[in-house]
Amino acid sequence: MSTTAWITTLQFAGVNALFALSIYATLWTGVLSLAPIFFGAVGAFTFGYLAGTVGLSPFLGLVLGVVLGAALGALTAALVIRLDSHYLAMATIAMVLIGRVLVVNLTELTGGAAGTLVPGELGTWLWLIGCLVVAGYVLARLAKSRFGMAADAVREDAAVAQTLGISPRRIQLVGFVISGAFGGAAGVMQASFLQYIGPDTFYTHLGFVTLAAVVLGGAFHWAGPIVGAIVFTILPELLKDVMGEYDRVVTGVLLVVIIIFVPRGLVDLRRVRLLRARSRQDPPRAGDDSARPTAPQEVTA
Amino acid sequence: MSSPTRSAPDAGVVPDAGAPSAVSIVDLTKSFGGLKAVSEVTIQVPTRRIHGILGPNGAGKTTVLNMVSGFIQPDKGSISVFGDEVTGLSPHQIARHGVARTYQNIRLFAGMTVLETVAAGAYLKRSSTIPGAIFFSPSERRERREVRDRATDLLRQVGVRAEPDALAETLSYGDQRRVEIARALATEPRVLLLDEPTAGMNDAESHEIGELLLELRGSGLTLILIEHNMRLVEEFCESVSVMNSGAMLAQGAPSWCLEQDDVKEAYFGKRSDAARIATLRRARRGPGGS
Ligand SMILES: Nc1ncnc2c1ncn2[C@@H]1O[C@H](COP(=O)(O)OP(=O)(O)OP(=O)(O)O)[C@@H](O)[C@H]1O
Ligand SMILES: [Mg+2]
């Protein structure tokens, strides 16, 4: 592969990572949602339309994408959060399908089936890495916050979380707002790199690729989706050189293997902690059963 | 209040005229399909009381606790906590009224360390906001420190022996139950519901739990526990309710209740004798069940 092709691939890995973080934000609260693809579409087409008609600056376009996405996230949550898990997932997939219908039919705004051109000023490494750093930082800071611990609790056992005073719907609403903000930004970034967007830009393929990235990388730590998106975008390109048309088969098989052998994904603190517990139990203990474990305390991960 | 339950005099089961009970359960009824799991059960638990709920397997004890904590909704009857009606509220609202609980089948959060598990229980006690967390404000930092210190204190208080950074799910059953108690205490409850807290523990460990109950009551808590260890019940519970097949058999002082013929019968069938009472006193169950 040529250097330019590599650079393009890596840039799309970065945008996919942003979408994957958006999916992660709701998954963190126990909700499987593909709505980020829809949020991305709305952000991107709004940006394209306003840039074309009133000359909206790219930076304001990105800000608008974040704000619009967050508002849509809240609205989506209000509509679907009552549904049971798999019906909720279905409803968000339906949003992706409806998004395409809207793009095709709102010709005035979206360019319809022909699509529309978008300014490419934001399509640079600087903006991409900037967005990823901000998104990663926000999630890392939230990880051990009041919200983050509640999100962990809701995902692991919503009923028990409730008896601790946590309202799962409230937590999930916040998850949707964060997801919306990231999704809107990801859409604007995607559009900026492509400089052309159409009905198929934000569709099921993008949804499944980014969802696979989350599953592969791990949905239990914010770094998981980033790792997953990079691996899952680069690997097919690498394989294409050797495998030709069969690269998708290999990535599919890889996904299945990961689901079977590391179901919690590549980045998984729990696995690290389990391994540590095992190594800790190995040294023989003193005779008294009630004695404290004698293994030295290790550094917290 | 139509149930023909007999109550021991002076057992404090009948509510005082003045102060409201910590927990007041009136005519509580719940059926699963055709099965009456709980039938017109009335229990009054005064403040700062250690109250036991006894009864053979399937008596409906856990179902009562599930209704008090809002896990399941009763078909009939009412529940109030310190005079506030909580019937029909969702569990997180009931938690805000100061009710916390543990589970018969231990329910810890997968992947969390011991310390994180207890810290998760401090949700209601934390006040930080999302922006505060993102910008890592001084108050956020202080709060995190306080939560960690408080969780460490609670773990020491309940007697967890494992390291705070160990994965909670890898601990012994005894420690897992203690972590659950610490998580419940982190909500700073006024009422603590314990579903078989000593299941799977030996005598010494069970006794430690009993001492912990006394200590907690001393700090103002009201405790309701489901317990099969009769020695523990007689030593630490000031009053008990004995259930069988969803109905209330007797309420009052533990020693008085356990002498009632129908209580003995519920536990051992018709032929009750001293030898079987001894078995009863040693009765112990492993973890698991509904
Ligand atoms: N969610 C449920 N759905 C259907 N039946 C239930 C449910 N929960 C409890 N039951 C039934 O209700 C009855 C009472 O159960 P419960 O768990 O309250 O008994 P228990 O007194 O706690 O018994 P144990 O000592 O075995 O824990 C049992 O027959 C049980 O099978
Ligand atoms: Mg039970």
Side-chain angles (χ1 to χ4, degrees), chain A residues 27 211-221 223-225 227-228 231 254-272:
Chain A
L27 216 46
L211 181 60
V214 180
V215 172
L216 177 92
F220 295 85
H221 190 280
V227 171
V231 174
L254 180 75
L255 198 61
V256 171
V257 167
I258 296 240
I259 290 169
I260 293 171
F261 291 103
V262 265
R264 288 169 63 106
L266 295 174
V267 182
D268 180 15
L269 266 186
R270 178 169 175 268
R271 193 171 58 233
V272 175

Side-chain angles (χ1 to χ4, degrees), chain B residues 178-190:
Chain B
R178 281 184 277 258
V179 170
E180 260 202 350
I181 295 176
R183 178 178 68 186
L185 290 175
T187 68
E188 296 183 11
R190 293 188 289 175

Side-chain angles (χ1 to χ4, degrees), chain A residues 137-138 141-142 144-147 149-150 152-153 156-157 159-168 170-171 174 178 264 270 273-274 276-277 280-281 290-293 295 297-300, chain B residues 69 71 90-92 95-96 99-101 103 107 109-113 116 119-121 123-124 126-128 130 133-134 136 140 143-144 160-163 165-167 169-170 183-184 187:
Chain A
Y137 181 83
V138 164
R141 273 290 176 232
L142 288 179
K144 289 288 167 275
S145 72
R146 179 174 190 257
F147 165 78
M149 307 250 8
D152 286 338
E156 295 303 336
D157 194 332
V160 171
Q162 276 198 284
T163 64
L164 302 174
I166 300 166
S167 159
R170 199 193 163 105
I171 297 300
V174 176
I178 298 170
R264 288 169 63 106
R270 178 169 175 268
R273 286 165 169 174
L274 275 174
R276 196 176 53 199
R280 203 180 257 178
Q281 274 157 16
S290 65
R292 294 175 68 88
Q297 186 166 347
E298 288 167 52
V299 185
T300 315
Chain B
S69 62
F71 251 49
S90 58
H92 68 91
R96 281 161 202 263
V99 178
R101 69 168 293 180
Y103 303 86
R107 289 174 79 164
F109 300 122
M112 281 196 201
T113 66
E116 284 167 0
Y123 179 79
L124 284 179
R126 297 177 75 167
S127 55
S128 71
I130 300 245
I134 291 172
F136 213 43
E140 169 77 21
E143 189 182 278
R144 286 191 192 199
V160 170
R161 292 174 176 85
E163 297 295 338
D165 67 339
L167 207 55
E169 66 209 85
T170 62
R183 178 178 68 186
T187 68

